[in-house]
Amino acid sequence: MTCQKCKGLMIEERQPELSPDMVGHRCVNCGLFVDPLIQHNRKSHARSREALVQAV
Ligand SMILES: [Zn+2]
């Protein structure tokens, strides 16, 4: 897996305090952390932004 921001190497990283069952990915280059929840949130944000643009 490569970082979407800097194309650096991403390693698996668990965040037990946030969600015990979930494994996210941390970029060793820029420190960007992605997990399934964040990606889901980004998607729904993008969708609501599209709806806004269409409304205007
Ligand atoms: Zn990166």
Side-chain angles (χ1 to χ4, degrees), residues 20-52:
D21 300 329
M22 206 174 57
V23 180
H25 287 86
R26 166 88 60 191
C27 176
V28 294
N29 195 34
C30 74
L32 179 79
F33 182 76
V34 271
D35 64 50
L37 268 182
I38 290 177
Q39 287 174 345
H40 177 77
N41 285 345
R42 282 213 185 117
K43 249 181 220 168
S44 49
H45 276 308
R47 204 174 296 155
S48 56
R49 198 187 296 157
E50 270 175 34
L52 248 172

